[in-house]
Amino acid sequence: MLLRDNIYAAIRADILACTLRPGAEVREQELAKRYAVSRQPVREALLRLERERLVTVHARQGYQINAISVADARDLLRMRLALEPACAAEAAANAPDAILGALDAFRSVADGADFIAENRAFHIALAEASGNRRMAATVRDLVEQADRLVRVSLDGIRGRDPAQLVAEHAGIIDALQRRDGRGARRLVREHVGQAERRILTALERSAIVL
């Protein structure tokens, strides 16, 4: 990858992981020092991130990591609710057996693993199994941006048993491997809908969310 793409990916990852906190003010010089590069690739990365609505550019004042808006979070999750069930239905109908078999890797989570990362990987794999590259690319972006919502709302969902979420993933995998498109669509819709309700409830109680 080119340097500018590496820096863009690094800053974006730190925003989505909340290492760069929502609402934080940042400057090119500070980020250049942080990532050990010149200011030019940092500036280019921040302008790309502005187009993704992750950063706001303030003329002559630097940049701000965009705060999380409940309204924007609802829009993002509703888009997932529209697209991911459709991906599941297409995967059940069209994905090769080998692709659906590979989803078995998501039936469990290793001890000490980052469940947020595992969850992200499952939803991206599910979207890619659809074979629809445009839908998969859109879902990938939505799922990655949802990481920030989950991390900010962790206090609100503390006590949620990851085993239950993994069991929901396993149910979706079972339906896909049976080629049950209708069942897979329903299970994904229920799974994402529950996540929407859980995350929005937690975000509404968060002091750093607009």
Side-chain angles (χ1 to χ4, degrees), residues 40-111:
Q40 182 62 30
V42 169
R43 182 180 302 115
E44 293 177 4
L46 290 168
L47 291 175
R48 289 175 67 180
L49 292 165
E50 181 189 30
R51 292 194 291 272
E52 294 183 32
R53 296 192 296 178
L54 290 172
V55 168
T56 296
V57 178
H58 297 296
R60 297 183 297 280
Q61 296 180 23
Y63 305 82
Q64 185 172 37
I65 308 303
N66 283 349
I68 291 173
S69 154
V70 171
D72 186 57
R74 184 178 292 109
D75 289 348
L76 186 156
L77 292 163
R78 285 298 170 91
M79 284 187 67
R80 287 186 59 183
L81 198 57
L83 290 176
E84 290 192 59
C87 286
E90 292 210 18
N94 303 315
D97 290 342
I99 294 294
L100 297 183
L103 295 175
D104 284 337
F106 298 103
R107 290 182 180 274
S108 62
V109 177
D111 290 342

Side-chain angles (χ1 to χ4, degrees), residues 149-167:
L149 308 182
V150 175
R151 292 185 190 279
V152 167
S153 64
L154 278 178
D155 287 343
I157 63 174
R158 184 170 296 153
R160 176 71 173 179
D161 184 4
Q164 175 59 35
L165 298 177
V166 173

Side-chain angles (χ1 to χ4, degrees), residues 109-180:
V109 177
D111 290 342
D114 181 353
F115 178 73
I116 293 176
E118 293 282 331
N119 181 67
R120 179 202 321 129
F122 169 72
H123 284 272
I124 290 172
L126 175 62
E128 290 176 344
S130 72
N132 186 316
R133 289 180 295 177
R134 287 185 179 273
M135 278 205 306
T138 301
V139 169
R140 172 186 285 272
D141 180 61
L142 293 171
V143 169
E144 289 177 346
Q145 294 211 31
D147 273 9
R148 199 164 75 125
L149 308 182
V150 175
R151 292 185 190 279
V152 167
S153 64
L154 278 178
D155 287 343
I157 63 174
R158 184 170 296 153
R160 176 71 173 179
D161 184 4
Q164 175 59 35
L165 298 177
V166 173
E168 292 173 14
H169 291 176
I172 293 167
I173 295 167
D174 288 339
L176 290 171
Q177 293 178 347
R178 291 195 307 269
R179 302 288 179 176
D180 178 5

Side-chain angles (χ1 to χ4, degrees), residues 85 88-90 92-93 175-176 178-189:
E90 292 210 18
L176 290 171
R178 291 195 307 269
R179 302 288 179 176
D180 178 5
R182 181 177 296 178
R185 178 190 288 269
R186 175 180 57 80
L187 289 171
V188 170
R189 183 171 183 81

Side-chain angles (χ1 to χ4, degrees), residues 25-36 39 42:
E25 294 184 0
V26 295
R27 296 187 179 277
E28 291 174 9
Q29 186 172 355
E30 296 168 354
L31 293 177
K33 182 176 180 181
R34 178 188 184 112
Y35 298 102
R39 292 173 60 175
V42 169

